[in-house]
PDB file of all heavy atoms in Angstrom:
ATOM      1  N   PHE A   1       8.554 -12.819   2.593  1.00  0.00           N
ATOM      2  CA  PHE A   1       8.262 -11.694   1.718  1.00  0.00           C
ATOM      3  C   PHE A   1       7.105 -10.832   2.216  1.00  0.00           C
ATOM      4  O   PHE A   1       6.972  -9.688   1.784  1.00  0.00           O
ATOM      5  CB  PHE A   1       7.996 -12.168   0.292  1.00  0.00           C
ATOM      6  CG  PHE A   1       9.232 -12.572  -0.444  1.00  0.00           C
ATOM      7  CD1 PHE A   1       9.392 -13.869  -0.888  1.00  0.00           C
ATOM      8  CD2 PHE A   1      10.244 -11.660  -0.690  1.00  0.00           C
ATOM      9  CE1 PHE A   1      10.532 -14.244  -1.571  1.00  0.00           C
ATOM     10  CE2 PHE A   1      11.396 -12.021  -1.367  1.00  0.00           C
ATOM     11  CZ  PHE A   1      11.540 -13.316  -1.805  1.00  0.00           C
ATOM     12  N   VAL A   2       6.281 -11.328   3.124  1.00  0.00           N
ATOM     13  CA  VAL A   2       5.220 -10.510   3.698  1.00  0.00           C
ATOM     14  C   VAL A   2       5.836  -9.328   4.443  1.00  0.00           C
ATOM     15  O   VAL A   2       5.257  -8.257   4.515  1.00  0.00           O
ATOM     16  CB  VAL A   2       4.316 -11.352   4.630  1.00  0.00           C
ATOM     17  CG1 VAL A   2       3.364 -10.484   5.420  1.00  0.00           C
ATOM     18  CG2 VAL A   2       3.549 -12.366   3.814  1.00  0.00           C
ATOM     19  N   GLU A   3       7.045  -9.514   4.971  1.00  0.00           N
ATOM     20  CA  GLU A   3       7.741  -8.439   5.678  1.00  0.00           C
ATOM     21  C   GLU A   3       8.589  -7.599   4.727  1.00  0.00           C
ATOM     22  O   GLU A   3       9.203  -6.615   5.146  1.00  0.00           O
ATOM     23  CB  GLU A   3       8.614  -9.035   6.777  1.00  0.00           C
ATOM     24  CG  GLU A   3       7.807  -9.770   7.824  1.00  0.00           C
ATOM     25  CD  GLU A   3       8.663 -10.574   8.780  1.00  0.00           C
ATOM     26  OE1 GLU A   3       9.904 -10.455   8.728  1.00  0.00           O
ATOM     27  OE2 GLU A   3       8.084 -11.330   9.579  1.00  0.00           O
ATOM     28  N   GLY A   4       8.640  -7.983   3.460  1.00  0.00           N
ATOM     29  CA  GLY A   4       9.388  -7.237   2.456  1.00  0.00           C
ATOM     30  C   GLY A   4       8.513  -6.184   1.811  1.00  0.00           C
ATOM     31  O   GLY A   4       7.500  -5.776   2.362  1.00  0.00           O
ATOM     32  N   LEU A   5       8.923  -5.773   0.623  1.00  0.00           N
ATOM     33  CA  LEU A   5       8.114  -4.798  -0.091  1.00  0.00           C
ATOM     34  C   LEU A   5       8.192  -5.036  -1.587  1.00  0.00           C
ATOM     35  O   LEU A   5       9.017  -5.806  -2.066  1.00  0.00           O
ATOM     36  CB  LEU A   5       8.522  -3.365   0.254  1.00  0.00           C
ATOM     37  CG  LEU A   5       9.961  -2.953  -0.005  1.00  0.00           C
ATOM     38  CD1 LEU A   5      10.060  -2.209  -1.313  1.00  0.00           C
ATOM     39  CD2 LEU A   5      10.430  -2.047   1.114  1.00  0.00           C
ATOM     40  N   ILE A   6       7.290  -4.380  -2.286  1.00  0.00           N
ATOM     41  CA  ILE A   6       7.215  -4.468  -3.740  1.00  0.00           C
ATOM     42  C   ILE A   6       7.552  -3.083  -4.276  1.00  0.00           C
ATOM     43  O   ILE A   6       6.985  -2.089  -3.826  1.00  0.00           O
ATOM     44  CB  ILE A   6       5.789  -4.846  -4.198  1.00  0.00           C
ATOM     45  CG1 ILE A   6       5.295  -6.093  -3.479  1.00  0.00           C
ATOM     46  CG2 ILE A   6       5.745  -5.017  -5.707  1.00  0.00           C
ATOM     47  CD1 ILE A   6       3.789  -6.266  -3.541  1.00  0.00           C
ATOM     48  N   SER A   7       8.491  -3.022  -5.217  1.00  0.00           N
ATOM     49  CA  SER A   7       8.872  -1.735  -5.773  1.00  0.00           C
ATOM     50  C   SER A   7       9.380  -1.881  -7.196  1.00  0.00           C
ATOM     51  O   SER A   7      10.254  -2.723  -7.456  1.00  0.00           O
ATOM     52  CB  SER A   7       9.966  -1.093  -4.913  1.00  0.00           C
ATOM     53  OG  SER A   7      10.382   0.136  -5.455  1.00  0.00           O
ATOM     54  N   ARG A   8       8.821  -1.103  -8.109  1.00  0.00           N
ATOM     55  CA  ARG A   8       9.266  -1.043  -9.499  1.00  0.00           C
ATOM     56  C   ARG A   8       9.380  -2.410 -10.163  1.00  0.00           C
ATOM     57  O   ARG A   8      10.348  -2.711 -10.843  1.00  0.00           O
ATOM     58  CB  ARG A   8      10.571  -0.294  -9.597  1.00  0.00           C
ATOM     59  CG  ARG A   8      10.462   1.134  -9.147  1.00  0.00           C
ATOM     60  CD  ARG A   8      11.756   1.853  -9.275  1.00  0.00           C
ATOM     61  NE  ARG A   8      11.590   3.195  -8.740  1.00  0.00           N
ATOM     62  CZ  ARG A   8      12.499   4.118  -8.829  1.00  0.00           C
ATOM     63  NH1 ARG A   8      13.636   3.861  -9.423  1.00  0.00           N
ATOM     64  NH2 ARG A   8      12.281   5.301  -8.323  1.00  0.00           N
ATOM     65  N   GLY A   9       8.408  -3.265  -9.893  1.00  0.00           N
ATOM     66  CA  GLY A   9       8.383  -4.578 -10.530  1.00  0.00           C
ATOM     67  C   GLY A   9       9.166  -5.647  -9.813  1.00  0.00           C
ATOM     68  O   GLY A   9       9.310  -6.755 -10.323  1.00  0.00           O
ATOM     69  N   TYR A  10       9.663  -5.348  -8.606  1.00  0.00           N
ATOM     70  CA  TYR A  10      10.465  -6.319  -7.858  1.00  0.00           C
ATOM     71  C   TYR A  10       9.899  -6.551  -6.465  1.00  0.00           C
ATOM     72  O   TYR A  10       9.417  -5.633  -5.802  1.00  0.00           O
ATOM     73  CB  TYR A  10      11.918  -5.848  -7.734  1.00  0.00           C
ATOM     74  CG  TYR A  10      12.645  -5.907  -9.042  1.00  0.00           C
ATOM     75  CD1 TYR A  10      12.705  -4.808  -9.875  1.00  0.00           C
ATOM     76  CD2 TYR A  10      13.239  -7.092  -9.470  1.00  0.00           C
ATOM     77  CE1 TYR A  10      13.345  -4.872 -11.097  1.00  0.00           C
ATOM     78  CE2 TYR A  10      13.882  -7.164 -10.688  1.00  0.00           C
ATOM     79  CZ  TYR A  10      13.930  -6.051 -11.500  1.00  0.00           C
ATOM     80  OH  TYR A  10      14.558  -6.126 -12.710  1.00  0.00           O
ATOM     81  N   LEU A  11       9.986  -7.803  -6.032  1.00  0.00           N
ATOM     82  CA  LEU A  11       9.664  -8.203  -4.672  1.00  0.00           C
ATOM     83  C   LEU A  11      10.993  -8.233  -3.927  1.00  0.00           C
ATOM     84  O   LEU A  11      11.944  -8.891  -4.372  1.00  0.00           O
ATOM     85  CB  LEU A  11       9.008  -9.589  -4.684  1.00  0.00           C
ATOM     86  CG  LEU A  11       8.512 -10.161  -3.370  1.00  0.00           C
ATOM     87  CD1 LEU A  11       7.497  -9.239  -2.708  1.00  0.00           C
ATOM     88  CD2 LEU A  11       7.903 -11.536  -3.616  1.00  0.00           C
ATOM     89  N   ILE A  12      11.093  -7.512  -2.824  1.00  0.00           N
ATOM     90  CA  ILE A  12      12.365  -7.340  -2.128  1.00  0.00           C
ATOM     91  C   ILE A  12      12.343  -8.067  -0.796  1.00  0.00           C
ATOM     92  O   ILE A  12      11.458  -7.848   0.041  1.00  0.00           O
ATOM     93  CB  ILE A  12      12.675  -5.846  -1.937  1.00  0.00           C
ATOM     94  CG1 ILE A  12      12.692  -5.168  -3.308  1.00  0.00           C
ATOM     95  CG2 ILE A  12      14.001  -5.651  -1.204  1.00  0.00           C
ATOM     96  CD1 ILE A  12      12.739  -3.670  -3.284  1.00  0.00           C
ATOM     97  N   CYS A  13      13.342  -8.943  -0.603  1.00  0.00           N
ATOM     98  CA  CYS A  13      13.449  -9.738   0.609  1.00  0.00           C
ATOM     99  C   CYS A  13      13.823  -8.847   1.799  1.00  0.00           C
ATOM    100  O   CYS A  13      14.730  -8.017   1.690  1.00  0.00           O
ATOM    101  CB  CYS A  13      14.514 -10.825   0.413  1.00  0.00           C
ATOM    102  SG  CYS A  13      14.792 -11.827   1.895  1.00  0.00           S
ATOM    103  N   PRO A  14      13.164  -9.048   2.955  1.00  0.00           N
ATOM    104  CA  PRO A  14      13.463  -8.229   4.123  1.00  0.00           C
ATOM    105  C   PRO A  14      14.783  -8.606   4.813  1.00  0.00           C
ATOM    106  O   PRO A  14      15.281  -7.852   5.638  1.00  0.00           O
ATOM    107  CB  PRO A  14      12.273  -8.504   5.053  1.00  0.00           C
ATOM    108  CG  PRO A  14      11.859  -9.895   4.705  1.00  0.00           C
ATOM    109  CD  PRO A  14      12.081 -10.002   3.219  1.00  0.00           C
ATOM    110  N   VAL A  15      15.367  -9.752   4.473  1.00  0.00           N
ATOM    111  CA  VAL A  15      16.586 -10.190   5.158  1.00  0.00           C
ATOM    112  C   VAL A  15      17.833  -9.546   4.557  1.00  0.00           C
ATOM    113  O   VAL A  15      18.625  -8.929   5.268  1.00  0.00           O
ATOM    114  CB  VAL A  15      16.710 -11.737   5.144  1.00  0.00           C
ATOM    115  CG1 VAL A  15      18.005 -12.189   5.780  1.00  0.00           C
ATOM    116  CG2 VAL A  15      15.514 -12.367   5.857  1.00  0.00           C
ATOM    117  N   HIS A  16      18.039  -9.682   3.257  1.00  0.00           N
ATOM    118  CA  HIS A  16      19.248  -9.147   2.625  1.00  0.00           C
ATOM    119  C   HIS A  16      18.952  -8.185   1.483  1.00  0.00           C
ATOM    120  O   HIS A  16      19.851  -7.850   0.711  1.00  0.00           O
ATOM    121  CB  HIS A  16      20.127 -10.288   2.097  1.00  0.00           C
ATOM    122  CG  HIS A  16      20.720 -11.109   3.177  1.00  0.00           C
ATOM    123  ND1 HIS A  16      20.362 -12.432   3.362  1.00  0.00           N
ATOM    124  CD2 HIS A  16      21.622 -10.822   4.141  1.00  0.00           C
ATOM    125  CE1 HIS A  16      21.031 -12.909   4.395  1.00  0.00           C
ATOM    126  NE2 HIS A  16      21.797 -11.960   4.883  1.00  0.00           N
ATOM    127  N   ALA A  17      17.693  -7.797   1.319  1.00  0.00           N
ATOM    128  CA  ALA A  17      17.267  -6.858   0.281  1.00  0.00           C
ATOM    129  C   ALA A  17      17.504  -7.387  -1.137  1.00  0.00           C
ATOM    130  O   ALA A  17      17.629  -6.614  -2.076  1.00  0.00           O
ATOM    131  CB  ALA A  17      17.913  -5.486   0.464  1.00  0.00           C
ATOM    132  N   TRP A  18      17.563  -8.704  -1.282  1.00  0.00           N
ATOM    133  CA  TRP A  18      17.638  -9.270  -2.633  1.00  0.00           C
ATOM    134  C   TRP A  18      16.311  -8.998  -3.320  1.00  0.00           C
ATOM    135  O   TRP A  18      15.243  -9.093  -2.701  1.00  0.00           O
ATOM    136  CB  TRP A  18      17.903 -10.759  -2.570  1.00  0.00           C
ATOM    137  CG  TRP A  18      19.306 -11.129  -2.193  1.00  0.00           C
ATOM    138  CD1 TRP A  18      20.231 -10.342  -1.562  1.00  0.00           C
ATOM    139  CD2 TRP A  18      19.933 -12.374  -2.415  1.00  0.00           C
ATOM    140  NE1 TRP A  18      21.393 -11.043  -1.381  1.00  0.00           N
ATOM    141  CE2 TRP A  18      21.240 -12.298  -1.893  1.00  0.00           C
ATOM    142  CE3 TRP A  18      19.522 -13.563  -2.993  1.00  0.00           C
ATOM    143  CZ2 TRP A  18      22.135 -13.347  -1.944  1.00  0.00           C
ATOM    144  CZ3 TRP A  18      20.415 -14.623  -3.038  1.00  0.00           C
ATOM    145  CH2 TRP A  18      21.703 -14.513  -2.526  1.00  0.00           C
ATOM    146  N   SER A  19      16.354  -8.698  -4.612  1.00  0.00           N
ATOM    147  CA  SER A  19      15.127  -8.396  -5.336  1.00  0.00           C
ATOM    148  C   SER A  19      14.884  -9.429  -6.432  1.00  0.00           C
ATOM    149  O   SER A  19      15.824  -9.939  -7.043  1.00  0.00           O
ATOM    150  CB  SER A  19      15.176  -6.980  -5.914  1.00  0.00           C
ATOM    151  OG  SER A  19      16.294  -6.819  -6.751  1.00  0.00           O
ATOM    152  N   PHE A  20      13.603  -9.709  -6.651  1.00  0.00           N
ATOM    153  CA  PHE A  20      13.156 -10.705  -7.618  1.00  0.00           C
ATOM    154  C   PHE A  20      12.045 -10.106  -8.461  1.00  0.00           C
ATOM    155  O   PHE A  20      11.121  -9.494  -7.929  1.00  0.00           O
ATOM    156  CB  PHE A  20      12.630 -11.954  -6.904  1.00  0.00           C
ATOM    157  CG  PHE A  20      13.644 -12.644  -6.037  1.00  0.00           C
ATOM    158  CD1 PHE A  20      13.847 -12.250  -4.726  1.00  0.00           C
ATOM    159  CD2 PHE A  20      14.409 -13.687  -6.546  1.00  0.00           C
ATOM    160  CE1 PHE A  20      14.784 -12.893  -3.929  1.00  0.00           C
ATOM    161  CE2 PHE A  20      15.345 -14.331  -5.762  1.00  0.00           C
ATOM    162  CZ  PHE A  20      15.538 -13.926  -4.447  1.00  0.00           C
ATOM    163  N   ASP A  21      12.119 -10.298  -9.773  1.00  0.00           N
ATOM    164  CA  ASP A  21      11.086  -9.822 -10.678  1.00  0.00           C
ATOM    165  C   ASP A  21       9.757 -10.474 -10.302  1.00  0.00           C
ATOM    166  O   ASP A  21       9.685 -11.700 -10.172  1.00  0.00           O
ATOM    167  CB  ASP A  21      11.470 -10.166 -12.119  1.00  0.00           C
ATOM    168  CG  ASP A  21      10.505  -9.613 -13.131  1.00  0.00           C
ATOM    169  OD1 ASP A  21       9.364 -10.133 -13.192  1.00  0.00           O
ATOM    170  OD2 ASP A  21      10.891  -8.696 -13.867  1.00  0.00           O
ATOM    171  N   VAL A  22       8.706  -9.671 -10.112  1.00  0.00           N
ATOM    172  CA  VAL A  22       7.431 -10.228  -9.648  1.00  0.00           C
ATOM    173  C   VAL A  22       6.746 -11.102 -10.680  1.00  0.00           C
ATOM    174  O   VAL A  22       5.897 -11.916 -10.329  1.00  0.00           O
ATOM    175  CB  VAL A  22       6.451  -9.127  -9.171  1.00  0.00           C
ATOM    176  CG1 VAL A  22       6.986  -8.394  -7.966  1.00  0.00           C
ATOM    177  CG2 VAL A  22       6.069  -8.186 -10.282  1.00  0.00           C
ATOM    178  N   THR A  23       7.101 -10.952 -11.956  1.00  0.00           N
ATOM    179  CA  THR A  23       6.445 -11.777 -12.979  1.00  0.00           C
ATOM    180  C   THR A  23       7.222 -13.038 -13.298  1.00  0.00           C
ATOM    181  O   THR A  23       6.630 -14.095 -13.460  1.00  0.00           O
ATOM    182  CB  THR A  23       6.272 -10.998 -14.290  1.00  0.00           C
ATOM    183  OG1 THR A  23       6.563  -9.637 -14.135  1.00  0.00           O
ATOM    184  CG2 THR A  23       4.876 -11.085 -14.764  1.00  0.00           C
ATOM    185  N   THR A  24       8.542 -12.942 -13.392  1.00  0.00           N
ATOM    186  CA  THR A  24       9.350 -14.101 -13.781  1.00  0.00           C
ATOM    187  C   THR A  24      10.010 -14.811 -12.609  1.00  0.00           C
ATOM    188  O   THR A  24      10.398 -15.963 -12.728  1.00  0.00           O
ATOM    189  CB  THR A  24      10.477 -13.688 -14.743  1.00  0.00           C
ATOM    190  OG1 THR A  24      11.417 -12.862 -14.040  1.00  0.00           O
ATOM    191  CG2 THR A  24       9.925 -12.965 -15.957  1.00  0.00           C
ATOM    192  N   GLY A  25      10.190 -14.115 -11.483  1.00  0.00           N
ATOM    193  CA  GLY A  25      10.883 -14.679 -10.332  1.00  0.00           C
ATOM    194  C   GLY A  25      12.391 -14.534 -10.394  1.00  0.00           C
ATOM    195  O   GLY A  25      13.094 -14.867  -9.450  1.00  0.00           O
ATOM    196  N   ALA A  26      12.918 -14.023 -11.515  1.00  0.00           N
ATOM    197  CA  ALA A  26      14.362 -13.915 -11.710  1.00  0.00           C
ATOM    198  C   ALA A  26      14.946 -12.712 -10.961  1.00  0.00           C
ATOM    199  O   ALA A  26      14.262 -11.708 -10.739  1.00  0.00           O
ATOM    200  CB  ALA A  26      14.684 -13.787 -13.194  1.00  0.00           C
ATOM    201  N   MET A  27      16.231 -12.845 -10.598  1.00  0.00           N
ATOM    202  CA  MET A  27      16.962 -11.728 -10.008  1.00  0.00           C
ATOM    203  C   MET A  27      17.581 -10.897 -11.121  1.00  0.00           C
ATOM    204  O   MET A  27      17.947 -11.438 -12.166  1.00  0.00           O
ATOM    205  CB  MET A  27      18.071 -12.245  -9.094  1.00  0.00           C
ATOM    206  CG  MET A  27      17.573 -12.942  -7.855  1.00  0.00           C
ATOM    207  SD  MET A  27      18.933 -13.479  -6.794  1.00  0.00           S
ATOM    208  CE  MET A  27      19.514 -11.895  -6.179  1.00  0.00           C
ATOM    209  N   PRO A  28      17.727  -9.585 -10.910  1.00  0.00           N
ATOM    210  CA  PRO A  28      18.401  -8.788 -11.933  1.00  0.00           C
ATOM    211  C   PRO A  28      19.851  -9.240 -12.082  1.00  0.00           C
ATOM    212  O   PRO A  28      20.497  -9.594 -11.096  1.00  0.00           O
ATOM    213  CB  PRO A  28      18.329  -7.350 -11.400  1.00  0.00           C
ATOM    214  CG  PRO A  28      17.754  -7.417 -10.037  1.00  0.00           C
ATOM    215  CD  PRO A  28      17.308  -8.813  -9.768  1.00  0.00           C
ATOM    216  N   GLY A  29      20.337  -9.287 -13.294  1.00  0.00           N
ATOM    217  CA  GLY A  29      21.719  -9.691 -13.526  1.00  0.00           C
ATOM    218  C   GLY A  29      21.917 -11.189 -13.574  1.00  0.00           C
ATOM    219  O   GLY A  29      23.020 -11.669 -13.783  1.00  0.00           O
ATOM    220  N   GLY A  30      20.860 -11.943 -13.337  1.00  0.00           N
ATOM    221  CA  GLY A  30      20.964 -13.404 -13.389  1.00  0.00           C
ATOM    222  C   GLY A  30      21.506 -13.982 -12.097  1.00  0.00           C
ATOM    223  O   GLY A  30      22.301 -13.370 -11.414  1.00  0.00           O
ATOM    224  N   SER A  31      21.073 -15.141 -11.761  1.00  0.00           N
ATOM    225  CA  SER A  31      21.479 -15.846 -10.552  1.00  0.00           C
ATOM    226  C   SER A  31      20.884 -17.240 -10.605  1.00  0.00           C
ATOM    227  O   SER A  31      19.947 -17.498 -11.349  1.00  0.00           O
ATOM    228  CB  SER A  31      20.961 -15.119  -9.308  1.00  0.00           C
ATOM    229  OG  SER A  31      21.179 -15.898  -8.152  1.00  0.00           O
ATOM    230  N   THR A  32      21.428 -18.129  -9.796  1.00  0.00           N
ATOM    231  CA  THR A  32      20.820 -19.451  -9.695  1.00  0.00           C
ATOM    232  C   THR A  32      19.607 -19.407  -8.771  1.00  0.00           C
ATOM    233  O   THR A  32      18.824 -20.341  -8.757  1.00  0.00           O
ATOM    234  CB  THR A  32      21.823 -20.490  -9.161  1.00  0.00           C
ATOM    235  OG1 THR A  32      22.322 -20.042  -7.907  1.00  0.00           O
ATOM    236  CG2 THR A  32      22.956 -20.691 -10.142  1.00  0.00           C
ATOM    237  N   PHE A  33      19.451 -18.316  -8.018  1.00  0.00           N
ATOM    238  CA  PHE A  33      18.270 -18.158  -7.174  1.00  0.00           C
ATOM    239  C   PHE A  33      17.136 -17.588  -8.010  1.00  0.00           C
ATOM    240  O   PHE A  33      17.323 -16.624  -8.755  1.00  0.00           O
ATOM    241  CB  PHE A  33      18.544 -17.211  -6.000  1.00  0.00           C
ATOM    242  CG  PHE A  33      19.444 -17.791  -4.962  1.00  0.00           C
ATOM    243  CD1 PHE A  33      20.757 -17.373  -4.872  1.00  0.00           C
ATOM    244  CD2 PHE A  33      18.984 -18.752  -4.071  1.00  0.00           C
ATOM    245  CE1 PHE A  33      21.599 -17.904  -3.907  1.00  0.00           C
ATOM    246  CE2 PHE A  33      19.820 -19.291  -3.108  1.00  0.00           C
ATOM    247  CZ  PHE A  33      21.133 -18.868  -3.025  1.00  0.00           C
ATOM    248  N   CYS A  34      15.963 -18.192  -7.878  1.00  0.00           N
ATOM    249  CA  CYS A  34      14.796 -17.748  -8.630  1.00  0.00           C
ATOM    250  C   CYS A  34      13.554 -18.127  -7.836  1.00  0.00           C
ATOM    251  O   CYS A  34      13.510 -19.196  -7.218  1.00  0.00           O
ATOM    252  CB  CYS A  34      14.779 -18.415 -10.003  1.00  0.00           C
ATOM    253  SG  CYS A  34      13.493 -17.804 -11.085  1.00  0.00           S
ATOM    254  N   LEU A  35      12.569 -17.256  -7.835  1.00  0.00           N
ATOM    255  CA  LEU A  35      11.317 -17.555  -7.149  1.00  0.00           C
ATOM    256  C   LEU A  35      10.412 -18.410  -8.025  1.00  0.00           C
ATOM    257  O   LEU A  35      10.443 -18.307  -9.254  1.00  0.00           O
ATOM    258  CB  LEU A  35      10.554 -16.267  -6.824  1.00  0.00           C
ATOM    259  CG  LEU A  35      11.214 -15.284  -5.886  1.00  0.00           C
ATOM    260  CD1 LEU A  35      10.278 -14.105  -5.655  1.00  0.00           C
ATOM    261  CD2 LEU A  35      11.575 -15.945  -4.576  1.00  0.00           C
ATOM    262  N   ILE A  36       9.603 -19.213  -7.383  1.00  0.00           N
ATOM    263  CA  ILE A  36       8.542 -19.925  -8.078  1.00  0.00           C
ATOM    264  C   ILE A  36       7.392 -18.934  -8.231  1.00  0.00           C
ATOM    265  O   ILE A  36       6.956 -18.325  -7.255  1.00  0.00           O
ATOM    266  CB  ILE A  36       8.093 -21.166  -7.289  1.00  0.00           C
ATOM    267  CG1 ILE A  36       9.258 -22.130  -7.108  1.00  0.00           C
ATOM    268  CG2 ILE A  36       6.907 -21.844  -7.983  1.00  0.00           C
ATOM    269  CD1 ILE A  36       8.987 -23.241  -6.106  1.00  0.00           C
ATOM    270  N   THR A  37       6.930 -18.751  -9.454  1.00  0.00           N
ATOM    271  CA  THR A  37       5.831 -17.835  -9.713  1.00  0.00           C
ATOM    272  C   THR A  37       4.620 -18.601 -10.236  1.00  0.00           C
ATOM    273  O   THR A  37       4.747 -19.727 -10.712  1.00  0.00           O
ATOM    274  CB  THR A  37       6.239 -16.747 -10.729  1.00  0.00           C
ATOM    275  OG1 THR A  37       6.643 -17.376 -11.942  1.00  0.00           O
ATOM    276  CG2 THR A  37       7.370 -15.876 -10.188  1.00  0.00           C
ATOM    277  N   TYR A  38       3.466 -17.961 -10.131  1.00  0.00           N
ATOM    278  CA  TYR A  38       2.206 -18.590 -10.514  1.00  0.00           C
ATOM    279  C   TYR A  38       1.392 -17.624 -11.363  1.00  0.00           C
ATOM    280  O   TYR A  38       1.441 -16.407 -11.156  1.00  0.00           O
ATOM    281  CB  TYR A  38       1.416 -18.973  -9.254  1.00  0.00           C
ATOM    282  CG  TYR A  38       2.179 -19.927  -8.373  1.00  0.00           C
ATOM    283  CD1 TYR A  38       3.077 -19.463  -7.417  1.00  0.00           C
ATOM    284  CD2 TYR A  38       2.040 -21.301  -8.537  1.00  0.00           C
ATOM    285  CE1 TYR A  38       3.811 -20.342  -6.635  1.00  0.00           C
ATOM    286  CE2 TYR A  38       2.770 -22.185  -7.755  1.00  0.00           C
ATOM    287  CZ  TYR A  38       3.653 -21.699  -6.810  1.00  0.00           C
ATOM    288  OH  TYR A  38       4.382 -22.572  -6.049  1.00  0.00           O
ATOM    289  N   ALA A  39       0.632 -18.162 -12.297  1.00  0.00           N
ATOM    290  CA  ALA A  39      -0.250 -17.349 -13.127  1.00  0.00           C
ATOM    291  C   ALA A  39      -1.377 -16.788 -12.267  1.00  0.00           C
ATOM    292  O   ALA A  39      -1.883 -17.458 -11.362  1.00  0.00           O
ATOM    293  CB  ALA A  39      -0.826 -18.191 -14.267  1.00  0.00           C
ATOM    294  N   VAL A  40      -1.740 -15.544 -12.543  1.00  0.00           N
ATOM    295  CA  VAL A  40      -2.829 -14.879 -11.812  1.00  0.00           C
ATOM    296  C   VAL A  40      -3.803 -14.266 -12.806  1.00  0.00           C
ATOM    297  O   VAL A  40      -3.451 -13.982 -13.955  1.00  0.00           O
ATOM    298  CB  VAL A  40      -2.307 -13.780 -10.864  1.00  0.00           C
ATOM    299  CG1 VAL A  40      -1.419 -14.353  -9.787  1.00  0.00           C
ATOM    300  CG2 VAL A  40      -1.587 -12.688 -11.620  1.00  0.00           C
ATOM    301  N   ARG A  41      -5.018 -14.053 -12.339  1.00  0.00           N
ATOM    302  CA  ARG A  41      -6.003 -13.320 -13.123  1.00  0.00           C
ATOM    303  C   ARG A  41      -7.011 -12.705 -12.166  1.00  0.00           C
ATOM    304  O   ARG A  41      -7.197 -13.178 -11.032  1.00  0.00           O
ATOM    305  CB  ARG A  41      -6.706 -14.218 -14.130  1.00  0.00           C
ATOM    306  CG  ARG A  41      -7.683 -15.206 -13.522  1.00  0.00           C
ATOM    307  CD  ARG A  41      -8.381 -16.024 -14.581  1.00  0.00           C
ATOM    308  NE  ARG A  41      -9.368 -16.913 -13.974  1.00  0.00           N
ATOM    309  CZ  ARG A  41     -10.056 -17.816 -14.652  1.00  0.00           C
ATOM    310  NH1 ARG A  41      -9.844 -17.960 -15.956  1.00  0.00           N
ATOM    311  NH2 ARG A  41     -10.941 -18.590 -14.052  1.00  0.00           N
ATOM    312  N   VAL A  42      -7.641 -11.644 -12.635  1.00  0.00           N
ATOM    313  CA  VAL A  42      -8.730 -11.025 -11.885  1.00  0.00           C
ATOM    314  C   VAL A  42     -10.024 -11.549 -12.471  1.00  0.00           C
ATOM    315  O   VAL A  42     -10.227 -11.542 -13.689  1.00  0.00           O
ATOM    316  CB  VAL A  42      -8.662  -9.486 -11.984  1.00  0.00           C
ATOM    317  CG1 VAL A  42      -9.880  -8.858 -11.337  1.00  0.00           C
ATOM    318  CG2 VAL A  42      -7.377  -8.966 -11.350  1.00  0.00           C
ATOM    319  N   ASN A  43     -10.875 -12.032 -11.586  1.00  0.00           N
ATOM    320  CA  ASN A  43     -12.186 -12.547 -11.982  1.00  0.00           C
ATOM    321  C   ASN A  43     -13.219 -11.860 -11.095  1.00  0.00           C
ATOM    322  O   ASN A  43     -13.358 -12.207  -9.928  1.00  0.00           O
ATOM    323  CB  ASN A  43     -12.233 -14.068 -11.823  1.00  0.00           C
ATOM    324  CG  ASN A  43     -13.509 -14.670 -12.375  1.00  0.00           C
ATOM    325  OD1 ASN A  43     -14.325 -13.981 -12.971  1.00  0.00           O
ATOM    326  ND2 ASN A  43     -13.678 -15.966 -12.164  1.00  0.00           N
TER     327      ASN A  43
END
């Protein structure tokens, strides 16, 4: 994903352009593929 990009709330894979919601890890439209996400905060 470092070679991908972030756009409109989605992290986009550089290999097949699959997109994942940056907050939930889910793909639009549902899929069994999902990213592991982590809680973040600014301190």
Side-chain angles (χ1 to χ4, degrees):
F1 285 118
V2 170
E3 298 170 8
L5 58 99
I6 308 162
S7 178
R8 298 181 184 187
Y10 289 93
L11 184 58
I12 303 170
C13 177
V15 177
H16 292 113
W18 286 20
S19 57
F20 300 86
D21 185 289
V22 296
T23 350
T24 67
M27 293 182 71
S31 171
T32 56
F33 289 105
C34 187
L35 297 182
I36 300 168
T37 59
Y38 301 87
V40 297
R41 72 178 183 185
V42 174
N43 187 6

